[in-house]
Amino acid sequence: VGSEMCIIDRKYTEEIFNTLSRGGFISSNSISAQVKRYYDVIEEDFPDYYEYYKGIGFYLEGGDGYYHFTRREAKVDLERKLEAAQRWIEYLSFLKTYHSAFGPGFLFRAADIEIQIGCDLELKEKVAKIFPDKKKHEEVVAKLISELERMGFVEKENEVDGTYKVLTAFHYMEELIDCITISEEVQDEIPE
């Protein structure tokens, strides 16, 4: 690794690591200028960042407008990841039922989702399955948005009216589901 990488490392590697090592994402369409800068520096020197993080056991992966870490997992960790994937599948199903266009660039407000839950029986059923311990619609929506924010899938765009923006990292969840769908289609084609 050249001396130029050492300068970049000192400036951004810790911040990037702190975001990605907790399972978060860095998206190109982030509202945060700082996160956009992280995306740009990774984009500019991806091979160097990849090698740097690989050296400490993290694999920098890129998607359609986002970056995240993967790791080589033990069987126990894989089972935990499968449980988490199932939860995210349920979240995605709920969000796409709420609005079919829910995806990168989509703007929404928590209050709008709460109102829609009150009017839509299918959404009520999904909420009861996802968050059986939450009874009030605002509790459910707050928990869901908190999870989406923690993972870097949404950011609050407007503090005044509570508008959130869906980030490009949301593609990760959509691509995960697409892979599962493809696998099921292939399974259906296997002759017995």
Side-chain angles (χ1 to χ4, degrees):
V1 180
S3 61
E4 182 180 330
M5 182 60 192
C6 292
I7 294 169
I8 293 171
D9 284 347
R10 288 188 189 111
K11 191 164 186 182
Y12 296 109
T13 54
E14 183 177 351
E15 294 91 345
I16 291 169
F17 181 81
N18 288 338
T19 300
L20 300 180
S21 65
R22 292 187 302 252
F25 290 78
I26 292 177
S27 294
S28 62
N29 72 336
S30 176
I31 296 160
S32 163
Q34 185 176 12
V35 173
K36 284 181 182 178
R37 181 65 187 140
Y38 298 159
Y39 180 87
D40 290 341
V41 298
I42 294 170
E43 187 82 359
E44 290 168 15
D45 294 309
F46 179 80
D48 292 334
Y49 278 99
Y50 179 87
E51 288 301 318
Y52 178 82
Y53 291 120
K54 180 181 170 187
I56 56 172
F58 288 87
Y59 296 87
L60 183 62
E61 302 286 338
D64 187 9
Y66 63 89
Y67 288 101
H68 65 101
F69 277 154
T70 60
R71 294 186 71 178
R72 302 298 182 251
E73 304 288 339
K75 185 177 180 181
V76 173
D77 292 332
L78 272 174
E79 289 173 6
R80 181 187 50 77
K81 275 191 164 185
L82 287 173
E83 289 171 6
Q86 181 179 355
R87 185 175 65 249
W88 285 106
I89 290 167
E90 291 171 353
Y91 290 173
L92 182 63
S93 175
F94 172 83
L95 295 168
K96 291 292 187 175
T97 301
Y98 162 67
H99 200 292
S100 61
F102 198 99
F106 186 80
L107 301 175
F108 69 94
R109 293 177 335 124
D112 296 336
I113 297 175
E114 292 166 18
I115 291 167
Q116 192 68 24
I117 292 170
C119 301
D120 188 320
L121 183 60
E122 186 177 4
L123 284 177
K124 283 181 187 175
E125 290 172 357
K126 288 181 182 296
V127 162
K129 183 178 178 186
I130 297 171
F131 301 111
D133 60 325
K134 306 285 184 213
K135 300 300 178 207
K136 295 182 179 181
H137 297 158
E138 60 265 9
E139 290 175 348
V140 168
V141 174
K143 173 74 172 158
L144 178 61
I145 290 174
S146 172
E147 287 287 312
L148 292 169
E149 279 184 304
R150 185 180 62 77
M151 292 298 293
F153 291 143
V154 302
E155 287 179 347
K156 188 173 267 187
E157 183 175 75
N158 186 323
E159 289 288 335
V160 176
D161 71 359
T163 301
Y164 288 85
K165 178 181 181 180
V166 181
L167 302 178
T168 54
F170 194 79
H171 280 303
Y172 177 81
M173 196 179 345
E174 294 174 319
E175 290 168 358
L176 173 70
I177 305 308
D178 286 345
C179 289
I180 293 169
T181 302
I182 291 169
S183 297
E184 289 173 357
E185 290 169 0
V186 170
Q187 182 67 29
D188 292 341
E189 295 175 8
I190 298 174
E192 293 184 27

